[in-house]
């Protein structure tokens, strides 16, 4: 006889995606009631929206022990349904992610079985206070109520209602109330849950509440504590030693104080807990402004996950290999040299983010990353690294995001970048890379985000960018030395949302085929951001007696590619790429008329063609420009041959373009640049600097300033001498009359 039935589209995988497409639909479930010997049923991720008999069918399976109906679009239970106990054998029930309201689930749930050990009704529409009836489930060990709309009633704040009843359960081990609408204060009576292994209160609004050691006094067995995104203040007496030994400590956005929390290294060893040390530590955005303790890397060597980002922590790496899988130290004050890393866990995807710190020196240690894991994300941006980037990227076939932007790297781009066949994001702006783009980059066919702006790259824009990198959403070559024409092959980038070729030496005309940018031409559902989600079930699970051996936690590292766009002199970050559809061709040597085909880019939000040598009439129906600020004179300025709104009322009285636009344009630009930089040095303002995305506001402005000042001082001196000579001659002429 059949005892196990698994038709679930995604099985028991805990790393499912919310938009996972259901494998198939199932109508009525009456047929299931004839399989009376079933002990386990898993229909997760199937469409059961028409199975309004599901709860009745379950009541006719007397031997059923485990039922999983996760993400099935379950219909609400009829109020006329008999609420007689349906089973005494059911111990595991998962009805998560079905949008079931409280009124539809509570009456049936509290009568379905008195022997439930694990209950998951997360991601539904449960509202109101936590029912006291949960306290009647005497066998319950795991309760997942996260991602609902639950609140704490006023009497629950005092600790004498639903949570209090749960606290009386004899063997309660897992309580997940994360991401509800809980607020107020957390009662110290929560400490009654002395057998608790997992406590998750993340994502609630306990702003201003203070947690002390009294809340944790009885948590001898606690292995996972998640208070992330609660704004709780954790205030412990000096020298406090926690009575528990956590393997996972998640305190993101909690207020830990300015000093580094030394209590995380101390604990009482419990022989009944088979966990040797913390494996997952998140103290990001917790207000720490201190140096990293000397003991840290010795104590936490080999952790799966460390996140200390968005603090003001200083310190250096030790002179030894750092064993890690996921490390995020971004937005701190760390300094010193880059260490060697070892990704120790077999087949795990590793992530390293050291951005926005003060690390210095060479990045050659990246060639010595060892271990059995695979590097998936590497961010060293916004530091003080320098030198040539080593040509050893062939060791990272699973790397999806690489960011080395805003450092002082020089030399050519390594040809081994072309071996990164999984790469989706390559960001190298704000460095001193030179030379032509390596042709091997065309092998990175999965690239969506390519930012090479503000470097010293040269040569022609390669045709293969449009032919081989057809998935690009963001392309910026701004602020380099590219020359030649815009290759018509770029028109093949139909997903492109931002194209920035400004501040180069590009000549020729605009390819009319730019209207092939489908994302700009048609109203489509665009990817609002480019995200990298690295999911990992971690090297160890909490295995609770009487539970079914499934991992109850996962590691998720989320990384968003932010578009840094310099628009008319101002740098701005655009994490929501789909909200900005833009083309910037300003500050080049482009000629000819603006092609009428650009009128087809109906969804275009921003266009900058200023400081070129365009001629003819300005198009009046390009995208949304008419309704937005981007249709203003500065978007077309310094093109002597352009006419019509918004530059002029009509084209009847327009100054003809110069015969040699390139030479004249360069002279005008030279004259302007001299006045600008001289103005910076002498302290007066120049009144007509309407800029496109130009180098003055980039990292390299200082170098440009001093270079131009050398020339400008000569120019000022010569100009002054000539003016003086003219004045002297005029005075002499007047005196002789």
């Amino acid at each position: 006889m059949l005892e196990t039935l698994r038709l679930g589209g995604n099985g028991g995988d805990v790393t499912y995606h919310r938009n996972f497409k259901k494998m198939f639909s199932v109508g009525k479930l009456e047929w299931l009631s004839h399989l009376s010997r079933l002990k386990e049923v898993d229909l997760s991720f199937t469409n059961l929206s028409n199975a309004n008999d599901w709860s009745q069918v379950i009541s006719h399976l007397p031997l059923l022990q485990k039922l999983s109906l996760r993400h099935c679009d379950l219909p609400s239970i009829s109020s006329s349904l008999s609420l007689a106990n349906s089973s005494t054998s059911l111990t595991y029930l998962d009805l998560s992610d079905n949008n079931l309201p409280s009124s539809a689930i509570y009456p049936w749930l509290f009568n379905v079985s008195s022997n439930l050990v694990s209950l998951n009704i997360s991601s539904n529409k449960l509202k109101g206070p936590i029912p006291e009836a949960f306290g009647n489930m005497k066998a319950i060990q795991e309760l997942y109520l996260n991602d609902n709309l639950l609140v704490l009633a006023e009497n629950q704040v005092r600790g004498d209602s639903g949570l209090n009843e749960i606290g009386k359960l004899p063997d309660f081990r897992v309580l997940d109330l994360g991401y509800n609408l809980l607020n107020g204060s957390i009662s110290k009576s929560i400490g009654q849950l002395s057998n608790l292994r997992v406590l998750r209160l993340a994502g609630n609004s306990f702003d201003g509440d203070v947690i002390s050691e009294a809340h944790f006094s009885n948590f001898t067995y606690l292995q996972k504590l998640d208070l992330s995104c609660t704004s709780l203040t954790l205030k412990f007496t000096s020298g406090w030693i926690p009575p528990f030994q956590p393997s996972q400590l998640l305190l993101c956005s909690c207020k830990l104080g300015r000093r580094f929390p030394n209590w995380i290294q101390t604990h009482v060893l419990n022989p009944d807990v088979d966990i040797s040390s913390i494996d997952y530590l998140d103290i990001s955005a917790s207000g720490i402004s201190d140096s990293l303790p000397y003991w840290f890397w010795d104590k936490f060597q080999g952790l799966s996950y460390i996140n200390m980002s968005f603090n003001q922590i200083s310190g250096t790496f030790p002179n030894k290999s750092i064993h890690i899988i996921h490390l995020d130290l971004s937005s701190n004050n760390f300094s010193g040299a880059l260490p060697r890393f070892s990704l120790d866990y077999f087949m795990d995807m590793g992530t390293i983010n050291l951005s926005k710190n003060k690390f210095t020196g060479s990045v050659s240690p990246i060639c010595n990353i060892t271990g059995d894991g695979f590097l998936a994300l590497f961010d060293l941006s916004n530091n003080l690294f320098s030198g040539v980037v080593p040509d050893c990227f062939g060791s990272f076939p699973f790397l999806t995001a690489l960011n080395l932007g805003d450092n002082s790297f020089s030399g050519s781009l390594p040809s081994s970048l072309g071996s990164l066949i999984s790469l989706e994001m390559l960001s190298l702006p704000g460095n001193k890379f030179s030379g032509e783009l390596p042709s091997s980059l065309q092998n990175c066919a999965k690239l969506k985000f390519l930012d090479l702006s503000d470097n010293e790259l040269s040569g022609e824009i390669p045709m293969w960018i449009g032919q081989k990198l057809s998935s690009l959403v963001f392309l910026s070559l701004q602020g380099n030395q590219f020359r030649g024409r815009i290759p018509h092959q770029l028109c093949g980038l139909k997903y492109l949302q931002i194209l920035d070729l400004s501040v180069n030496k590009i000549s020729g005309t605009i390819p009319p085929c730019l209207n092939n940018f489908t994302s700009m031409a048609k109203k489509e559902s665009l990817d609002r951001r480019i995200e990298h989600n690295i999911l990992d079930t971690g090297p160890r699970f909490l295995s609770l007696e009487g539970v079914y051996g499934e991992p109850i936690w996962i590691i998720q590292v989320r990384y968003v590619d932010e578009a840094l766009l310099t628009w008319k002199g101002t740098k701005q970050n655009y994490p929501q790429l789909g909200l900005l559809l833009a083309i910037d061709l300003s500050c080049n040597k482009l000629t000819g008329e603006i092609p009428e085909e650009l009128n087809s880019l109906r969804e275009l939000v921003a266009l900058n063609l200023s400081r070129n040598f365009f001629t003819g009439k300005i198009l009046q129906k390009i995208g949304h420009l008419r309704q937005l600020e981007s249709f203003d004179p500065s978007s077309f300025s310094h093109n002597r041959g352009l006419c019509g709104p918004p530059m002029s009322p009509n084209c009847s009285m327009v100054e003809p373009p110069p015969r040699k636009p390139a030479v004249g344009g360069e002279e005008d630009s030279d004259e302007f640049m001299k006045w600008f930089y001289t103005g910076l040095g002498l302290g007066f303002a120049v009144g007509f600097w309407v800029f496109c995305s130009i180098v003055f506001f980039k990292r390299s402005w200082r170098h440009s300033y001093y270079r131009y000042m050398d020339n400008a001082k000569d120019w000022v001196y010569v100009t002054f001498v000539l003016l003086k000579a003219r004045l002297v001659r005029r005075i002499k002429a007047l005196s002789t009359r």
Side-chain angles (χ1 to χ4, degrees):
M1 296 292 289
L2 187 65
E3 294 186 350
T4 301
L5 177 64
R6 292 176 180 166
L7 301 178
N10 208 31
D13 186 2
V14 297
T15 62
Y16 83 101
H17 191 278
R18 279 287 174 86
N19 295 324
F20 180 85
K21 187 176 181 180
K22 296 178 176 62
M23 296 281 289
F24 51 83
S25 297
V26 178
K28 301 286 186 179
L29 291 179
E30 190 273 336
W31 55 272
L32 194 61
S33 61
H34 300 294
L35 303 174
S36 59
R37 308 297 296 178
L38 280 174
K39 294 183 179 179
E40 180 180 343
V41 174
D42 186 353
L43 301 179
S44 298
F45 302 96
T46 58
N47 187 347
L48 299 180
S49 57
N50 294 320
N52 52 14
D53 60 343
W54 69 269
S55 57
Q56 293 171 294
V57 170
I58 298 307
S59 66
H60 290 88
L61 299 175
L63 302 180
L64 189 63
Q65 298 176 7
K66 184 177 180 180
L67 174 63
S68 183
L69 301 177
R70 183 181 193 181
H71 198 52
C72 292
D73 296 330
L74 290 174
S76 296
I77 301 171
S78 172
S79 58
S80 61
L81 182 69
S82 171
L83 298 179
N85 288 344
S86 59
S87 172
T88 57
S89 58
L90 190 62
T91 57
Y92 178 99
L93 178 61
D94 186 351
L95 301 178
S96 61
D97 203 15
N98 280 293
N99 293 319
L100 292 169
S102 306
S103 58
I105 191 64
Y106 283 160
W108 176 81
L109 180 64
F110 295 133
N111 285 274
V112 69
S113 174
S114 59
N115 294 318
L116 275 178
V117 173
S118 178
L119 172 62
N120 190 341
I121 47 177
S122 62
S123 300
N124 281 288
K125 292 183 178 179
L126 308 182
K127 296 181 179 180
I130 301 169
E132 297 180 24
F134 282 120
N136 296 327
M137 296 180 171
K138 301 302 182 184
I140 197 76
Q141 294 182 21
E142 298 182 357
L143 182 58
Y144 300 92
L145 301 175
N146 52 291
D147 296 280
N148 281 290
L149 303 170
L150 297 171
V151 299
L152 285 178
E154 188 173 346
N155 59 338
Q156 287 179 310
V157 175
R158 296 196 302 268
D160 55 357
S161 189
L163 282 180
N164 194 34
E165 292 301 314
I166 293 174
K168 298 176 182 178
L169 296 172
D171 198 22
F172 196 72
R173 301 188 177 193
V174 177
L175 177 61
D176 191 343
L177 293 171
Y179 296 93
N180 278 281
L181 301 177
L182 308 182
N183 55 18
S185 300
I186 300 176
S187 171
K188 295 177 182 177
S189 65
I190 198 170
Q192 295 178 22
L193 300 170
S194 57
N195 289 315
L196 204 63
R197 266 69 166 175
V198 176
L199 176 61
R200 185 170 183 257
L201 301 176
N204 288 289
S205 302
F206 300 112
D207 191 17
D209 195 19
V210 177
I211 293 291
S212 67
E213 54 262 39
H215 289 83
F216 301 119
S217 58
N218 293 324
F219 286 164
T220 308
Y221 301 99
L222 193 65
Q223 297 174 23
K224 175 177 179 178
L225 176 64
D226 187 354
L227 304 178
S228 303
C229 305
T230 58
S231 298
L232 284 165
T233 297
L234 274 64
K235 186 174 292 186
F236 305 120
T237 57
S238 177
W240 177 63
I241 298 177
F244 53 91
Q245 184 178 354
S247 63
Q248 302 167 53
L249 192 58
L250 293 83
L251 304 176
C252 169
S253 86
C254 289
K255 299 169 185 175
L256 302 183
R258 295 176 59 85
R259 301 296 300 273
F260 196 89
N262 286 321
W263 57 266
I264 67 174
Q265 72 153 331
T266 58
H267 51 263
V268 176
L269 293 177
N270 188 330
D272 297 325
V273 180
D274 187 22
I275 298 290
S276 59
S277 65
I278 290 179
D279 192 62
Y280 186 117
L281 176 65
D282 186 350
I283 52 174
S284 59
S286 56
I288 301 173
S289 180
D290 198 3
S291 57
L292 196 67
Y294 69 92
W295 47 260
F296 184 85
W297 294 113
D298 288 330
K299 182 70 179 179
F300 295 132
Q301 186 73 281
L303 266 68
S304 293
Y305 182 99
I306 297 177
N307 188 348
M308 295 189 287
S309 62
F310 294 97
N311 286 290
Q312 294 295 319
I313 302 174
S314 59
T316 60
F317 282 111
N319 188 24
K320 61 181 180 181
S321 185
I322 301 298
H323 297 259
I324 194 70
I325 289 295
H326 304 286
L327 177 64
D328 190 348
L329 303 182
S330 61
S331 299
N332 277 286
N333 291 321
F334 287 101
S335 59
L338 191 69
R340 300 184 306 275
F341 290 104
S342 179
L343 308 176
D344 284 349
Y345 296 105
F346 180 67
M347 294 298 288
D348 275 344
M349 292 295 180
T351 61
I352 298 173
N353 188 347
L354 306 181
S355 63
K356 299 179 181 176
N357 280 283
K358 299 175 182 177
F359 290 109
T360 57
S362 168
V363 293
S364 57
I366 66 176
C367 298
N368 300 318
I369 294 178
T370 59
D372 297 322
F374 299 108
L375 190 62
L377 186 154
F378 199 33
D379 189 344
L380 300 180
S381 64
N382 288 276
N383 278 285
L384 302 173
F385 291 115
S386 59
V388 176
V389 175
D391 197 7
C392 60
F393 288 96
S395 304
F396 311 114
F398 296 99
L399 193 66
T400 61
L402 175 63
N403 192 344
L404 303 179
D406 293 295
N407 283 282
S408 296
F409 295 120
S410 57
S412 301
L413 296 181
S415 60
S416 60
L417 287 173
S419 62
L420 302 177
I421 56 175
S422 300
L423 200 65
E424 296 180 8
M425 181 262 206
L426 177 61
S427 187
L428 306 175
N431 285 287
K432 301 174 185 176
F433 290 116
S434 59
E436 299 186 357
L437 297 185
S439 60
S440 60
L441 269 181
Q442 63 187 297
N443 298 327
C444 303
K446 293 184 179 181
L447 268 179
K448 296 180 180 179
F449 187 102
L450 178 59
D451 189 352
L452 303 176
S453 63
D454 194 19
N455 279 285
E456 299 171 7
L457 298 168
S458 58
E460 296 188 353
I461 298 176
M463 294 183 292
W464 48 259
I465 290 181
Q467 295 170 328
K468 301 294 186 179
L469 307 183
S470 57
S471 297
L472 279 176
V473 173
F474 177 93
L475 172 61
S476 178
L477 304 179
Q478 184 258 351
N480 282 282
Q481 301 293 321
F482 288 106
R483 64 181 187 276
R485 304 174 69 90
I486 299 175
H488 68 85
Q489 287 83 0
L490 287 189
C491 300
L493 302 175
K494 62 180 181 179
Y495 302 112
L496 203 63
Q497 297 177 29
I498 294 179
L499 173 64
D500 189 352
L501 304 180
S502 63
V503 197
N504 279 284
K505 298 178 180 179
I506 303 170
S507 57
T509 59
I510 297 178
C513 60
L514 289 188
N515 62 350
N516 291 338
F517 292 162
T518 307
S519 295
M520 301 181 186
K522 298 180 181 179
K523 194 172 186 64
E524 295 185 339
S525 177
L526 302 175
D527 288 335
R528 293 301 179 193
R529 61 177 69 209
I530 302 176
E531 291 186 0
H532 308 275
N533 286 288
I534 292 90
L535 296 173
D536 179 14
T537 53
R540 55 176 115 190
F541 306 144
L542 298 180
S543 181
L544 308 183
E545 184 181 352
V547 183
Y548 293 86
E550 295 186 4
I552 64 173
W553 65 282
I554 60 173
I555 294 175
Q556 179 175 8
V557 178
R558 179 171 166 268
Y559 184 84
V560 178
D561 301 342
E562 290 191 354
L564 178 61
L565 193 63
T566 307
W567 191 259
K568 298 181 182 178
T570 303
K571 275 187 177 183
Q572 297 184 50
N573 278 313
Y574 292 93
Q576 300 279 0
L577 288 184
L579 299 180
L580 180 66
L581 300 173
I583 295 177
D584 191 347
L585 304 178
S586 61
C587 298
N588 279 290
K589 300 179 181 181
L590 295 168
T591 58
E593 296 186 355
I594 301 173
E596 291 187 4
E597 285 80 359
L598 292 191
N599 280 331
S600 301
L601 302 180
R602 298 173 182 173
E603 300 302 314
L604 191 65
V605 173
L607 175 67
N608 193 354
L609 302 179
S610 63
R611 295 194 171 274
N612 281 284
F613 306 105
F614 292 117
T615 58
K617 191 173 183 179
I618 296 173
L619 304 179
Q620 301 297 304
K621 298 180 180 180
I622 304 177
H624 294 283
L625 305 190
R626 268 292 182 185
Q627 294 79 26
L628 301 171
E629 292 182 0
S630 50
F631 196 75
D632 61 32
S634 64
S635 295
F636 304 95
S637 66
H638 296 83
N639 288 281
R640 292 187 180 182
L642 282 182
C643 62
M647 294 293 293
S648 61
N650 53 58
C651 292
S652 59
M653 298 181 65
V654 179
E655 180 185 350
R659 292 182 179 180
K660 296 181 179 180
V663 176
E666 287 176 356
E667 289 176 355
D668 289 342
S669 176
D670 235 16
E671 194 80 359
F672 173 80
M673 295 284 277
K674 290 171 183 174
W675 275 113
F676 175 80
Y677 284 121
T678 305
L680 282 178
L682 301 179
F684 63 86
V686 180
F688 65 100
W689 59 291
V690 180
F691 277 114
C692 46
S693 47
I694 202 161
V695 294
F696 302 153
F697 293 88
K698 306 187 77 65
R699 287 172 57 91
S700 58
W701 81 268
R702 298 186 302 274
H703 309 294
S704 303
Y705 170 71
Y706 290 119
R707 188 168 59 249
Y708 270 92
M709 280 300 293
D710 286 340
N711 297 329
K713 69 180 181 181
D714 296 334
W715 171 77
V716 171
Y717 174 77
V718 172
T719 303
F720 176 78
V721 169
L722 290 174
L723 288 173
K724 179 181 178 182
R726 289 176 188 172
L727 184 59
V728 169
R729 285 196 300 271
R730 288 186 181 181
I731 292 173
K732 287 182 178 180
L734 289 173
S735 63
T736 57
R737 289 181 181 178

